[in-house]
Amino acid sequence: MDIKSTSTGSTTTASVGNWTVAAEHFATPDATALRRAYYAEVAGRYWKRPATEAEIDEGLRDDPADGLAPPTGQFVVGRLEGTPRACGGIRLLDPVTAELTRVYVDPRARGTGGGATLLAALEAAARALGAERVRLDTRSDLVEARALYAREGYREIPAYNAGPYAEHWFEKPLV
């Protein structure tokens, strides 16, 4: 799979096949719908039941996306044949370490290359912010995400944070 990714200033893009991923403010209608879908899925899996709209609203309020905009981060939206189907964010933890967050691919689009394209765009954004490595935390039940990270060169590392839902920590060098 040949992924073309670029990042210039605050513009991050990647494309492969029928996927395009581009920087987009986290509060646009498409980005907001994808962030809600992300939270609905991760909360639903955690609670082992569908999350209510009120719970999704509360979760988004409790975990704001403010840091996912330049100069401290970036948010991207992935489109499959023009339809928004994926999103993710990157934020700086320190001058050389970026963190992936809210990485999501709609279940209807999984297995089509969107996850790898999304990560390529987020890694390009991290490089543009000066990061030399990318980290993330995730849960055991998010098996698709863990498999994606492993395929894309992320390796498990010791815990770097004490997040209440973090069970696995990964890192990938960018330089």
Side-chain angles (χ1 to χ4, degrees), residues 14-79:
S15 63
V16 65
N18 295 328
W19 277 97
T20 58
V21 179
E24 189 166 322
H25 192 274
F26 59 81
T28 67
D30 288 343
T32 299
L34 287 163
R35 286 189 308 115
R36 292 183 70 78
Y38 159 83
Y39 192 81
E41 181 168 346
V42 298
R45 282 188 182 198
Y46 184 76
W47 294 327
K48 296 179 176 41
R49 63 166 175 78
T52 66
E53 291 299 311
E55 289 168 333
I56 294 168
D57 291 342
E58 181 180 343
L60 292 173
R61 265 192 317 276
D62 290 347
D63 190 16
D66 302 9
L68 304 180
T72 59
Q74 186 73 67
F75 195 79
V76 299
V77 170
R79 289 179 169 77

Side-chain angles (χ1 to χ4, degrees), residues 1 5 8 16 20 32 39-40 82 85 87 90 98 102 123 136 146 154-155 160 163-165 169:
M1 172 180 355
S5 65
T8 54
V16 65
T20 58
T32 299
Y39 192 81
R85 294 279 188 226
C87 69
I90 194 91
R102 297 171 184 82
E123 290 166 7
L136 66 99
R146 290 184 17 241
Y154 289 78
R155 300 290 172 245
Y160 67 90
Y165 305 107
W169 296 263

Side-chain angles (χ1 to χ4, degrees), residues 63-133:
D63 190 16
D66 302 9
L68 304 180
T72 59
Q74 186 73 67
F75 195 79
V76 299
V77 170
R79 289 179 169 77
L80 178 59
E81 298 176 350
T83 302
R85 294 279 188 226
C87 69
I90 194 91
R91 64 178 164 222
L92 288 175
L93 296 176
D94 63 47
V96 296
T97 308
E99 182 178 50
L100 287 174
T101 184
R102 297 171 184 82
V103 175
Y104 173 75
V105 177
D106 185 306
R108 297 168 290 184
R110 291 182 185 155
T112 63
T117 308
L118 189 68
L119 289 179
L122 291 165
E123 290 166 7
R127 283 185 194 94
L129 293 167
E132 297 176 4
R133 66 180 162 257

